[in-house]
Amino acid sequence: MDDALAAAKGRLREVLAAQRTGRRDASIAGDRVARALATRREVVGAGRVALYAALPDEVPTRPSFEVLREAGVARALPCPGPGGRLEFRQVEDWDELRPGRWNVLEPPPTAHVCALAEADVVLVPGVAFDRSGNRLGRGGGHYDATFPPGEAAPLLIGVAWEFQLVDAVPHGSRDRRVNAIVTERGWVWPAGGAR
């Protein structure tokens, strides 16, 4: 990544950092996102939905996990894998999760490793998204490494607060776009994002 792109990404992360911290509406946003997910056949009809345990400055994902469980959808969560990629493991109950390498909740080592397919859905965290589906993560590149641009992938859905939708996200050739974004106010489907 060139220096100008890295600097632009860093500035956007700084701008949004304070807005993401200490949100009083976090539980409401988590419930609204869960309800929005439950309305989409792409999600409830998926072979499996991979989601993540949200950090304190992200829209809570446990409500989505519970809605998917009630709908009978198989669920998986990520763990750090080799080469900066993520591996996803099947989880039946949220309480199975344990703090992992970065103190992020993840499945136990005994959980079944899943190979995700194009028929699956992956909920993707992000610092910012734009209406073209570009995503700015925290800088680790794990989702981009796991789902490289140009390769077949599951349906990728970014999860964010509405204020995290910005006019333009700085991006490079290694950055993977998401197919859709869901916020507490509903869905954004970039051109070519829906299946």
Side-chain angles (χ1 to χ4, degrees):
M1 178 177 2
D2 69 24
D3 292 341
L5 180 57
K9 288 182 174 186
R11 284 191 298 274
L12 185 53
R13 285 187 185 102
E14 287 176 17
V15 166
L16 293 175
Q19 294 180 55
R20 292 190 345 260
T21 303
R23 302 278 315 176
R24 292 190 183 128
D25 59 347
S27 64
I28 294 168
D31 290 341
R32 287 181 179 170
V33 164
R35 285 196 305 272
L37 290 169
T39 67
R40 297 300 303 205
R41 65 171 172 76
E42 296 94 334
V43 176
V44 295
R48 172 179 292 110
V49 175
L51 59 161
Y52 58 94
L55 295 171
D57 64 350
E58 295 173 331
V59 174
T61 53
R62 185 170 185 169
S64 296
F65 181 94
E66 299 301 342
V67 162
L68 295 166
R69 184 176 59 79
E70 290 168 16
V73 178
R75 294 143 334 274
L77 276 88
C79 299
R85 292 176 173 248
L86 300 170
E87 70 176 21
F88 292 87
R89 297 182 184 174
Q90 186 128 351
V91 177
E92 299 301 322
D93 191 304
W94 187 269
D95 292 329
E96 295 175 41
L97 303 177
R98 300 289 177 260
R101 184 184 303 174
W102 298 290
N103 209 29
V104 176
L105 292 178
E106 61 186 50
T110 55
H112 173 71
V113 176
C114 308
L116 298 179
E118 284 186 68
D120 296 328
V121 170
V122 178
L123 302 185
V124 182
V127 173
F129 297 89
D130 66 27
R131 293 181 186 280
S132 295
N134 294 304
R135 169 188 168 269
L136 177 66
R138 291 180 182 267
H142 300 289
Y143 282 88
D144 297 321
T146 305
F147 307 108
E151 291 186 17
L155 184 71
L156 302 176
I157 300 174
V159 178
W161 274 287
E162 187 77 14
F163 73 83
Q164 290 175 276
L165 291 176
V166 298
D167 290 338
V169 167
H171 60 280
S173 61
R174 295 186 195 162
D175 296 323
R176 179 69 185 234
R177 291 181 185 196
V178 295
N179 302 96
I181 303 140
V182 63
T183 76
E184 77 279 15
R185 292 190 184 165
W187 288 92
V188 175
W189 291 89
R195 290 196 198 170

